[in-house]
Amino acid sequence: MTMTRRRFLSASAGLAVTPLFGGGVVGATLPREADIVVIGAGAAGIAAARRIQAANRKVIVVEAASQIGGRCQTDSATFDLPFDRGARWMHNPETNPMIKLARAAGLEIITAPSGQKIRIGRRNARAGETEEFLAALVRANRAIDDASRRFDVSCASVLPKDLGDWAGTAEFVLGANFAGKDLKDVSVIDKIRAQDRNTAIACRQGLGTLIARLGEQIPLSLSTPANRIAWGSRDVTVETPAGKIAARAAVITVSSNVLAAGNIKFTPDIPKRTLDAAAKLSLGSYDRIALQLPGNPLGLSRDDIIIEQSNSTRTALLFANIGSSSLCSIDVAGSFGRDLSAQGEAAMVAFAVEWLTKLFGSDALKGVKKTTATRWNAAPFALGAMSAAAPGAQPSRKILSEPIGCMYLAGEATHETLWGTVDGAWESGERAAEAALRRIGALRDAEPEAPARAPKQRRRSAPVN
Ligand SMILES: Cc1cc2nc3c(=O)[nH]c(=O)nc-3n(C[C@H](O)[C@H](O)[C@H](O)COP(=O)(O)OP(=O)(O)OC[C@H]3O[C@@H](n4cnc5c(N)ncnc54)[C@H](O)[C@@H]3O)c2cc1C
């Protein structure tokens, strides 16, 4: 991500935290009041703030981290090209607002190659084998779909038992790689309600760069965690280490795990049903291990995406030679990814090297240059990757988006069909901002909301996240 606005705190422990301002108000003190205060400067928070600004109301965003973006973070320092540590892909180009926003911001849009390859040991799957795998995926999806019409159980419990050699790969593609969770932990209804993710489109400068760019004109205060929120039906006071902000409404966009962890205290307490809903929409695990492999030792093409035929959860997805560079990312997810990331970056890099060696031979990895790995479960202001409803818990998404006094929750977890995505987070932020604007009388009921998305299509599970 672009670091030009970033300044690091030098205050020693015990000193009050000094807020860092983005949005062209660097050096200003934290405003004491606003019409609406937004908690969090990820996609949902930036979308909400832009909507409030567009309605000519005073908004302030408080962000706990020292940069904008939340789970959209682009690392522009480690490698020769920007590397998205969080969200990378935008789907559904016909309806996804992020693509239009990226173009309008002057960023470059690139479409990933449509064909993804499957490795079986050291060779590529033959056409017939790939067909077999796709047929297994169709059968697995159909079984989940059928079950979702009757009850809300786990996806794993309804999978056909005869997927044979493709069972592990189907589990990875539909579960860990799609939702950050194994299928035993994912609700069939949540999975089926999820909107199709067709074409995978990236932003050359990075999705984190895009969110940071979209937040440039927003009054926001970085390194300013909301510690406590006192709320009622008419106003709200947000307490931060830099002072209090009084507002007539609040939009709260922190992740379901941050909310459920009780990292923000509420006075009075928020309803138990809200906290229960957040807990049932806990975040799955999804991390990227980046290796710089000069000289194309894997012998792959630009932007090749590769998965393997696997009979266990100990597997990954490779995105190779990103943008024709020597950068490769190995994505790990679900219970295996969670356990691996808990062991630290060195263990993650060791797994990536071992996995690539298994698939491409021992000589392939002699020249590994730079490496890095994300650990989203340990990131204190995210505590995970993306939400997926536990079996039986799909209604939690609606519950999580219920207003609480003059507070409106937003974020990917509140979106019923675009959960786990940036565009879902963005749309939820706009919706919550509109509800907050209505509450303070700044938007009449007749005024149009942000354009609704096209009706939900069935989600085909592309093996990319
Ligand atoms: C590795 C990975 C890969 C992904 N891949 C994709 C993908 O390819 N495509 C896709 O569409 N989506 C993807 N996602 C999901 C996507 O990143 C999220 O759905 C989306 O970014 C969530 O945005 P949000 O605004 O809801 O939440 P967040 O981005 O989490 O924003 C919440 C903000 O609140 C801040 N905050 C937390 N606590 C406080 C506090 N007390 N006070 C103030 N601020 C606070 C946080 O720092 C954060 O900035 C991926 C996620 C990960 C982790």
Side-chain angles (χ1 to χ4, degrees), residues 119-136:
R119 211 74 181 157
I120 301 182
R122 295 233 175 129
R123 66 170 176 85
N124 288 337
R126 301 184 185 98
E129 290 166 326
T130 304
E131 282 306 313
E132 258 178 40
F133 171 59
L134 293 176

Side-chain angles (χ1 to χ4, degrees), residues 87-248:
R88 170 185 286 147
W89 302 110
M90 299 176 280
H91 305 278
N92 308 319
E94 323 75 46
T95 52
N96 192 326
M98 308 317 296
I99 297 172
K100 211 167 158 192
L101 287 162
R103 287 207 176 97
L107 303 183
E108 199 184 331
I109 292 306
I110 35 181
T111 305
S114 55
Q116 286 125 26
K117 294 179 186 145
I118 305 173
R119 211 74 181 157
I120 301 182
R122 295 233 175 129
R123 66 170 176 85
N124 288 337
R126 301 184 185 98
E129 290 166 326
T130 304
E131 282 306 313
E132 258 178 40
F133 171 59
L134 293 176
L137 269 191
V138 168
R139 286 202 298 128
N141 264 325
R142 195 175 296 142
I144 294 170
D145 192 359
D146 287 349
S148 72
R149 293 168 207 275
R150 286 172 284 136
F151 31 58
D152 192 8
V153 292
S154 82
C155 294
S157 67
V158 300
L159 283 187
K161 302 285 177 250
D162 57 351
L163 296 177
D165 289 343
W166 294 111
T169 316
E171 157 78 46
F172 175 70
V173 168
L174 298 175
N177 184 250
F178 183 85
K181 288 186 182 174
D182 299 349
L183 287 177
K184 69 176 171 32
D185 300 321
V186 179
S187 134
V188 286
I189 299 183
D190 209 33
K191 179 93 174 79
I192 287 302
R193 293 237 172 121
Q195 191 168 328
D196 191 9
R197 290 181 189 177
N198 53 27
T199 329
I201 293 170
C203 173
R204 188 174 303 288
Q205 293 84 354
L207 258 185
T209 304
L210 171 61
I211 302 298
R213 191 74 67 84
L214 294 171
E216 269 174 1
Q217 302 307 320
I218 304 289
L220 65 88
S221 182
L222 299 175
S223 300
T224 307
N227 289 336
R228 178 175 293 279
I229 303 179
W231 61 278
S233 58
R234 298 166 66 90
D235 53 27
V236 59
T237 302
V238 177
E239 288 179 26
T240 79
K244 292 183 186 179
I245 306 165
R248 295 165 66 198

Side-chain angles (χ1 to χ4, degrees), residues 39-45 62-65 67-73 85-91 96 197 207 224-227 253-255 258 263-264 286-288 374 376 380-382 384-386 410-413 418-426 428 464-465:
I39 315 296
V62 294
E63 166 57 53
Q67 70 273 318
I68 298 178
R71 283 170 272 166
C72 296
Q73 290 296 328
R85 296 178 68 83
R88 170 185 286 147
W89 302 110
M90 299 176 280
H91 305 278
N96 192 326
R197 290 181 189 177
L207 258 185
T224 307
N227 289 336
T253 72
V254 300
S255 75
V258 168
N263 292 1
I264 301 177
Y286 199 104
D287 280 299
R288 303 194 193 288
T374 67
W376 283 99
F381 306 126
M386 65 275 287
E412 57 87 11
L418 288 168
W419 50 266
T421 69
V422 178
D423 43 324
W426 189 268
S428 77
V464 287
N465 214 332

